[in-house]
């Protein structure tokens, strides 16, 4: 099996990759997390989905590709320039709500329906507001994070943050956890009954 033979990239993915290179965006999502998100979201029909850390929309393109017509997705980022780029690609899709906001404040003030799947690819919802975001996941819902293996763009001392997060997740009794030494290092946690 060759896991790098990815045949089902979203049609728009290469355009977003090119834009990422053009603007010098240094934190694009990995292809592997994209294909995993698409597969997991396909298992969640009529779902309420959340992405924390839109960037310019690489992982968002995969998530949208996995959604059915009855699902909805909110994607949050605090960078207005990146949000505008993502909106150029996805604003036409009525299932998708791209929000320019501080995710910390957004999480603290969110009063809507709980989520079937959360992809946390930003500091809030991953290293801060973790309790709040895990409380917003439905039973059977998934919490997914990447970049759990050392990355070249990590600031000095970030490994300690990662270790604390992993330890915290390992010690929660309300989620089943799978840690994958694959892609950039992925954790999938599913909320128990």
């Amino acid at each position: 099996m060759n896991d790098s033979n990815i045949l089902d990239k979203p049609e728009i993915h290469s355009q977003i990759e090119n834009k990422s290179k053009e603007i010098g965006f240094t934190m694009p999502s990995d292809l592997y997390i994209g294909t995993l998100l698409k597969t997991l979201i396909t298992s969640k029909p009529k779902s309420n989905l959340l992405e924390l850390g839109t960037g310019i929309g690489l992982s968002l393109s995969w998530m949208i590709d996995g959604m059915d017509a009855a699902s909805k997705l909110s994607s949050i980022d605090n960078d207005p320039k990146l949000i505008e780029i993502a909106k150029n690609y996805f604003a036409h899709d009525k299932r998708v709500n791209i929000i320019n906001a501080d995710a910390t404040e957004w999480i603290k003030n969110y009063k809507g329906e709980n989520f079937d799947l959360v992809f946390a690819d930003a500091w809030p919802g991953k290293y801060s507001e973790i309790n709040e975001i895990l409380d917003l996941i439905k039973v059977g819902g998934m919490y997914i994070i990447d970049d759990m293996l050392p990355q070249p763009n990590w600031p000095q001392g970030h490994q300690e943050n990662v270790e604390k997060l992993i330890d915290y997740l390992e010690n929660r009794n309300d989620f089943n956890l799978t840690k994958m030494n694959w892609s950039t290092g992925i954790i999938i946690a599913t909320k128990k009954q």
Side-chain angles (χ1 to χ4, degrees), residues 70-131:
S71 292
K72 58 188 176 185
L73 188 156
S74 297
S75 185
I76 320 288
D77 202 292
N78 67 351
D79 187 323
K81 291 178 184 170
L82 298 180
I83 283 290
E84 282 309 307
I85 293 169
K87 283 183 177 180
N88 286 335
Y89 292 116
F90 305 111
H92 66 279
D93 192 328
K94 302 297 182 215
R95 303 169 301 164
V96 180
N97 186 18
I98 299 172
I99 303 165
N100 181 210
D102 179 308
T104 294
E105 293 304 313
W106 189 90
I107 292 166
K108 288 179 179 180
N109 294 308
Y110 179 75
K111 302 287 186 247
E113 171 190 353
N114 281 9
F115 296 99
D116 296 283
L117 184 144
V118 173
F119 175 47
D121 196 19
W123 192 272
K126 193 173 186 179
Y127 298 106
S128 66
E129 293 72 49
I130 184 79
N131 286 323

Side-chain angles (χ1 to χ4, degrees), residues 125-139:
K126 193 173 186 179
Y127 298 106
S128 66
E129 293 72 49
I130 184 79
N131 286 323
E132 293 91 337
I133 206 64
L134 294 178
D135 286 346
L136 291 173
I137 297 175
K138 294 177 184 176
V139 170

Side-chain angles (χ1 to χ4, degrees), residues 130 134 141 143-145 148 165-180 186-192:
I130 184 79
L134 294 178
Y143 172 76
I144 301 162
I145 52 176
M148 294 290 101
L165 175 59
I166 293 169
D167 183 60
Y168 170 79
L169 291 170
E170 287 174 336
N171 285 291
R172 283 198 62 130
N173 296 324
D174 55 341
F175 282 82
N176 284 327
L177 196 69
T178 296
K179 297 173 287 184
M180 299 168 58
I186 295 170
I187 294 177
I188 302 172
T190 302
K191 195 167 206 174
K192 299 193 286 191

Side-chain angles (χ1 to χ4, degrees), residues 22-66:
E22 177 188 317
I23 67 168
F25 184 63
T26 60
M27 297 182 286
S29 289
D30 174 90
L31 282 174
Y32 296 107
I33 188 65
T35 190
L36 178 65
L37 286 168
K38 179 178 177 176
T39 299
L40 294 175
I41 287 170
T42 301
S43 77
K44 299 279 185 191
K46 299 178 185 171
S47 58
N48 186 29
L49 310 165
L50 175 64
E51 177 184 40
L52 298 167
T54 311
I56 65 169
L58 281 167
S59 56
L60 182 58
S61 70
W62 288 97
M63 294 175 79
I64 291 169
D65 251 25

